[in-house]
Amino acid sequence: MDIAHRSAPMPSLVRSYDGSIILGYAAFAVIALVAIYFASGGPSFSASDLSAMAMMP
């Protein structure tokens, strides 16, 4: 019962990568939005093409 009565939590030896993973997803989303922005400026690309691309991944 000694373990259940400890007052201070033990430090974790496992490194947390949550911040790096979230930053990676955010960077990927920004790059994808920039790619869509530049692709939508091309010839023969209408608003309906952009909406279809957004709705059907």
Side-chain angles (χ1 to χ4, degrees):
M1 296 303 270
D2 184 48
I3 294 174
H5 295 290
R6 288 189 181 165
S7 60
M10 293 180 60
S12 176
L13 298 176
V14 178
R15 184 173 175 193
S16 176
Y17 291 102
D18 292 344
S20 299
I21 292 170
I22 291 172
L23 181 64
Y25 277 119
F28 179 74
V30 168
I31 292 170
L33 288 174
V34 169
I36 291 171
Y37 174 76
F38 284 119
S40 65
S44 72
F45 195 84
S46 65
S48 62
D49 293 335
L50 183 61
S51 63
M53 182 174 60
M55 294 303 293
M56 299 178 189

